[in-house]
Amino acid sequence: MSSLFFRRWSQEVKFQYGVLRSIFDWTIIVYLLLPGLVIFSFIYRSWWLEQPGWIEDLPLLILFYSGYFAAWTGNYRTFILEADKVFLIKHPALFIGLKKAGYIYSLVLQSSGIGLLAILLMPFFRYTYHLASDQILAFFIMFSLLKWLIMAIKYRLGSINCKLARGLACFFSFIAGSWMIQLVFLAWEAKMYPVIILAGILFSGISFILHIPLLSKIASFEEEQLLEKRERNKYIHFIFTFSPEVEKIPVTSRTRPFLFKKSKRLYKDRTPENGFLELFLKIFLRNCQHWSSFLQLVSVTAAALMFVPPYWLKGAVLAGFIIMLHSWLSMIWEKVTLSHPLTKRFREDHDFLLAKRKAIRYLLLTGISMALVPFFFRLLLFS
C-alpha cells in the first residue's frame, strides 16, 4: 500500500511540476516570480518590524474569518485513476489502503495550508492585537479541524445530483458555519480554552464519522475518481480560465436546457429560412458564453456613449461598435451552424443565407438599441 501511494504521489508531483513549467518559463521566473518573492519577503519582514497603517483599523474578527474562508478550500485526494477499475478495484486491500493513505495525506496537506495562513498573520496577531502564543496555536488547530469537517461535508454534498439543490445546500452550510464561527471567535478572544477544545473535538469527531466509513467502501469508485480528476486538473483549468486565446467550452451535466425547457416553435410558418433562424436563436440564448459576450460588448459601448464628451467621438464609438458587433455575430453564426454536419451541408443554400442575414440584423438592432437607451435616458434626465 505504502509503495503504491508513494508511487502515485511522485507521479502527481511530476504532473503538477509539468503544469507549472508550462507557464513559468525562464522569463516569467526571472522577471516576475523571483522579484515577486523578494518583494514579498521584504514586505513580510517589515510587518515584524513595524505594523502597516491599514491593519490598525481592521477588526480582529476579519482576520479570524480569513481562517474560515481558507477552511472552505481544498478537497480530499485519493490518487485513484480511471484505469484502477480494471485491476486495482479487484484487490480491495490495495484499493482501500490507497484511499486511507490519501485520506491521511489530505488531512496533513490541508492543515499545512492553515499553518501557512497562521504564519502569514502572525506579525499582526503578535504586535497589533497582542495575542498570546497559545491563542495563535489554538487558531491553527481549530481551523485545521474545522477544515477536516468542511471537506467531509463538501464530499457528502457532492453526491447530490441536482445542481441547484447542491448549491443551496453549500450556501446554507456556509452561512450556518459563519454563525457558529462567531461564537467560537468570542471564546477564542476571551481565552475560553475548554470551549475551544470542545469545538475541536466536535469538528474532528463529526468529520471522522462522516468520512471514515466511506474509506472501506468500493461502490463509490466513480464519485471518488471524478473528484480526484477534478482536483488533479484544477491548476490546468485555472490556467485556461485566464488564457484569453483558449476557448472555454462550458461543461454541463444537465439533461434538459435551462432555457426553453418545453421548447416550442418560434414561427408558425415552417419555412427553411425560419427553421435555420429558430435553430440559431435558441442555441445563441442557451449558450451563456454567447449572450454574456454580447452583453459585454453592449455594456462597454453604452458606458462609452454616456461618458465620452465629444459627440463626434460618440459617433465614432457607435460606428466601431456596429462594425465589431456585425463581424462578431457573423463569426458566431458560422461557429454555431457550420460546426454541425447537418447544417454545414446547407451553407450555400439560399434560405440559409437569408436566415443568416436576418439573424444578424435582429441581434444587431437589439444591441444598438440597448447601447443607445442609457445615452438617451441620460440626455432626457439632464436636459
Side-chain angles (χ1 to χ4, degrees), residues 209-277:
I209 292 172
L210 288 176
H211 198 75
I212 285 182
L214 300 177
L215 297 177
S216 58
K217 292 185 178 180
I218 303 179
S220 58
F221 175 84
E222 295 294 337
E223 293 81 0
E224 292 171 345
Q225 189 270 326
L226 289 176
L227 177 62
E228 174 64 21
K229 183 178 180 180
R230 187 164 59 247
E231 285 296 308
R232 193 183 193 205
N233 297 326
K234 65 180 179 181
Y235 295 116
I236 298 177
H237 295 160
F238 180 79
I239 295 171
F240 283 172
T241 301
F242 291 95
S243 299
E245 67 275 5
V246 178
E247 181 183 5
K248 289 82 175 176
I249 300 176
V251 179
T252 179
S253 58
R254 297 179 62 90
T255 57
R256 299 176 62 188
F258 184 73
L259 296 175
F260 306 110
K261 293 181 180 179
K262 299 180 180 179
S263 180
K264 296 181 180 180
R265 296 175 179 178
L266 297 180
Y267 300 97
K268 293 182 179 180
D269 188 11
R270 303 302 294 170
T271 62
E273 177 186 346
N274 290 339
F276 288 125
L277 184 59

Side-chain angles (χ1 to χ4, degrees), residues 303-318 375 378-379:
L305 292 176
M306 290 179 63
F307 298 109
V308 171
Y311 280 95
W312 67 268
L313 193 54
K314 294 179 187 291
V317 170
L318 182 61
F375 170 69
R378 187 171 183 268
L379 284 180

Side-chain angles (χ1 to χ4, degrees), residues 244-245 247 280 283-284 287 289-291 293-294 297 322-340 347 352 356-357 359-361 363-364:
E245 67 275 5
E247 181 183 5
F280 173 76
I283 293 176
F284 183 87
N287 192 312
Q289 288 191 336
H290 293 341
W291 54 259
S293 300
F294 177 81
L297 289 172
I322 293 173
I323 296 173
M324 184 184 301
L325 185 61
H326 186 277
S327 62
W328 181 78
L329 290 172
S330 301
M331 181 191 67
I332 295 298
W333 172 274
E334 299 290 334
K335 178 182 176 181
V336 167
T337 56
L338 301 184
S339 62
H340 198 282
R347 62 184 305 172
F352 182 86
K356 176 182 177 180
R357 286 196 289 267
I360 293 175
R361 184 169 63 249
L363 293 175
L364 185 63

Side-chain angles (χ1 to χ4, degrees), residues 8-20 232:
R8 292 284 176 89
W9 178 80
S10 63
Q11 293 173 356
E12 173 69 14
V13 172
K14 294 178 182 178
F15 176 79
Q16 299 300 341
Y17 175 76
V19 173
L20 295 178
R232 193 183 193 205

Side-chain angles (χ1 to χ4, degrees), residues 158-221:
S159 61
I160 301 177
N161 294 326
C162 180
K163 189 174 181 180
L164 178 61
R166 185 168 63 250
L168 290 176
C170 290
F171 173 76
F172 287 116
S173 299
F174 182 85
I175 297 300
S178 66
W179 291 343
M180 176 198 64
I181 213 66
Q182 294 183 33
L183 300 177
V184 176
F185 169 75
L186 297 177
W188 176 71
E189 189 179 28
K191 297 184 179 181
M192 300 172 61
Y193 293 119
V195 178
I196 300 297
I197 294 173
L198 180 62
I201 295 174
L202 191 65
F203 295 158
S204 58
I206 296 177
S207 67
F208 294 153
I209 292 172
L210 288 176
H211 198 75
I212 285 182
L214 300 177
L215 297 177
S216 58
K217 292 185 178 180
I218 303 179
S220 58
F221 175 84

